[in-house]
Amino acid sequence: MNKTILAATLVAASLVAAPAYAACDTVNSKSVKLSACIDEVDWELQAPQGDQEFLYFAPDGTIGFTIITEKETFTPSDFRGAVLTNAANANGGKDVKVLRERIENVGDKPWNVINYEFGEPGQELEFQNFYYSQPGLGSVQVVFWSLPSDATVAAYRAGKVLNTLQYGN
């Protein structure tokens, strides 16, 4: 009896899990040795702009993210400065409001994270910029944005994407 229940549970679990794997689209960077598995249910591919290698939006348009890669490497302080300079440029030359900074483990590597906000009053966007640079890999930014009211959901979805990153592919 227990074997029958266990077998039925395993079959049911495999059927529930199968669609998530079927919807995954593996993307490989052309600039650095990095890949990610993007859930096609959660994200819709868009045409990248400027330095973006990949650009995605949630189907409802409330959250977006981009992957920016380059072969050059930077020190963490130089990379941080470039991130904030680029954010200020995107904000019409005005400084951005840094909300918090931290280090997160992404694929056993220490990624820097800056959460910042900019925009006109009442129309601000919150950005969660994950950035990493290493000789032999290059530099990578994975940047998520949303309204501040959606930042927790964006952080959860960022974790789902970042957990799929593979180095050396």
Side-chain angles (χ1 to χ4, degrees):
M1 172 94 160
N2 286 341
K3 289 181 183 177
T4 303
I5 292 172
L6 178 61
T9 302
L10 291 174
V11 169
S14 69
L15 291 175
V16 170
Y21 292 114
C24 178
D25 180 32
T26 299
V27 296
N28 295 292
S29 171
K30 291 181 172 79
S31 302
V32 299
K33 293 181 179 178
L34 183 81
S35 66
C37 187
I38 309 301
D39 188 332
E40 296 173 341
V41 172
D42 288 343
W43 302 106
E44 294 177 351
L45 181 63
Q46 307 294 315
Q49 303 170 14
D51 294 331
Q52 301 169 340
E53 189 167 3
F54 303 101
L55 175 63
Y56 292 89
F57 281 98
D60 64 4
T62 59
I63 302 169
F65 87 92
T66 187
I67 300 174
I68 303 168
T69 61
E70 55 187 292
K71 293 179 183 178
E72 187 177 351
T73 58
F74 304 95
T75 65
S77 63
D78 287 346
F79 208 162
R80 179 188 185 276
V83 165
L84 293 176
T85 297
N86 290 337
N89 290 340
N91 193 31
K94 296 182 265 179
D95 286 340
V96 300
K97 179 181 176 183
V98 175
L99 303 172
R100 63 194 151 278
E101 296 185 57
R102 64 192 182 281
I103 305 286
E104 288 208 12
N105 183 11
V106 178
D108 293 326
K109 299 196 183 300
W111 284 54
N112 293 284
V113 185
I114 301 177
N115 288 63
Y116 54 89
E117 182 178 277
F118 69 76
E120 296 302 317
Q123 299 177 3
E124 298 92 349
L125 290 176
E126 184 168 328
F127 294 80
Q128 300 173 50
N129 189 316
F130 297 78
Y131 61 100
Y132 180 75
S133 186
Q134 176 184 317
L137 173 70
S139 300
V140 181
Q141 291 180 75
V142 185
V143 186
F144 292 80
W145 61 88
S146 67
L147 294 173
S149 59
D150 292 325
T152 301
V153 174
Y156 169 76
R157 294 181 72 181
K160 287 176 63 176
V161 170
L162 293 166
N163 281 333
T164 71
L165 292 185
Q166 298 288 315
Y167 307 96
N169 298 337

